[in-house]
Amino acid sequence: GAVVSQHPSRVICKSGTSVKIECRSLDFQATTMFWYRQFPKQSLMLMATSNEGSKATYEQGVEKDKFLINHASLTLSTLTVTSAHPEDSSFYICSARAPGANTGELFFGEGSRLTVL
Amino acid sequence: AQKVTQAQTEISVVEKEDVTLDCVYETRDTTYYLFWYKQPPSGELVFLIRRNSFDEQNEISGRYSWNFQKSTSSFNFTITASQVVDSAVYFCALGSNTGKLIFGQGTTLQVKP
């Protein structure tokens, strides 16, 4: 089956630094990927829709300058948390939909746990 | 507005008991998709099932079964003869043709030996 991979799975950084998380579709091309954030013991909340070759679409309340999304190729989307602060500590997870796949068929990455000290 | 409600925050059962996790959704779309995911302590989301709005057939997969009732906007999940390995957080989610998912708050299931 289709596989989506995220890297790194865990990252610890100092406050003020920027962190990049990658989301790759390993065996299919994904024109659209989605980024979610999950705080401890909470649900997953959609942050943004990443569109290959164009700007990401952010959900209400998500700072686009804080969470930079780049979808430069059909197999890779990156989420950069800029000037990270402890409140950005969270579990970030991406999903992708293969083109031509049945609508609603989605594949999730393994998630990336960010801890900001 | 789209919304998913999982009213049960935590459920604790003893192994071999049956358990049903409730999910109620709201949407104005005529075409939509319902999902159940399992999230073990390691964090990854494990896909369990996807249902589209035109398919109200109930489904059984091993010890898992799902009851989709459009009349009550519910998509409940039953685990029969629960096992300790079933302990996890279970999320119900609602999706549209855009691919975006709206997740419920999750139900933490603890199965005790």
Side-chain angles (χ1 to χ4, degrees):
Chain A
V3 177
V4 174
S5 179
Q6 281 185 242
H7 177 81
S9 57
R10 292 180 181 273
V11 57
I12 300 173
C13 69
K14 292 182 179 179
S15 187
T17 60
S18 294
V19 174
K20 181 185 286 187
I21 300 169
E22 296 184 345
C23 178
R24 292 182 184 273
S25 54
L26 298 184
D27 55 359
F28 67 98
Q29 295 182 327
T31 55
T32 304
M33 292 183 175
F34 303 91
W35 286 96
Y36 294 83
R37 178 169 58 184
Q38 183 182 29
F39 290 112
K41 299 189 184 299
Q42 294 189 25
S43 186
L44 288 84
M45 300 297 293
L46 178 66
M47 298 175 66
T49 303
S50 174
N51 304 297
E52 188 270 336
S54 65
K55 291 182 179 180
T57 305
Y58 290 82
E59 296 298 304
Q60 193 171 13
V62 178
E63 301 174 60
K64 60 182 180 181
D65 295 330
K66 172 77 171 175
F67 300 99
L68 300 179
I69 292 173
N70 186 284
H71 196 153
S73 79
L74 286 170
T75 59
L76 174 64
S77 175
T78 60
L79 168 68
T80 301
V81 183
T82 62
S83 186
H85 290 285
E87 57 266 30
D88 298 323
S89 298
S90 187
F91 190 61
Y92 293 89
I93 190 164
C94 70
S95 72
R97 182 171 63 184
N102 291 331
T103 304
E105 190 170 7
L106 299 166
F107 303 96
F108 279 87
E110 312 95 323
S112 300
R113 194 168 301 279
L114 169 64
T115 302
V116 184
L117 302 176
Chain B
Q2 295 191 318
K3 186 179 178 181
V4 176
T5 302
Q6 293 179 254
Q8 303 149 310
T9 305
E10 294 184 16
I11 301 176
S12 181
V13 298
V14 176
E15 207 169 21
K16 298 185 182 177
E17 285 185 15
D18 298 347
V19 58
T20 296
L21 282 62
D22 298 333
C23 174
V24 175
Y25 63 92
E26 294 177 31
T27 182
R28 292 182 180 176
D29 293 340
T30 53
T31 301
Y32 54 89
Y33 303 86
L34 295 164
F35 301 78
W36 275 97
Y37 289 92
K38 175 182 180 180
Q39 188 177 44
S42 53
E44 78 274 16
L45 284 178
V46 178
F47 169 80
L48 296 178
I49 191 171
R50 179 185 71 249
R51 259 286 176 264
N52 73 52
S53 51
F54 299 110
D55 183 2
E56 279 193 81
Q57 264 195 328
N58 292 327
E59 182 159 335
I60 298 175
S61 177
R63 295 184 297 107
Y64 295 169
S65 62
W66 291 269
N67 186 339
F68 179 21
Q69 298 272 350
K70 283 183 79 170
S71 59
T72 55
S73 297
S74 65
F75 187 45
N76 296 338
F77 171 35
T78 298
I79 301 175
T80 302
S82 59
Q83 300 176 1
V84 173
V85 293
D86 296 327
S87 298
V89 182
Y90 290 86
F91 288 100
C92 179
L94 170 68
S96 65
N97 286 330
T98 65
K100 298 179 182 181
L101 292 188
I102 305 294
F103 285 85
Q105 286 303 107
T107 297
T108 300
L109 174 64
Q110 183 181 32
V111 181
K112 298 177 181 177

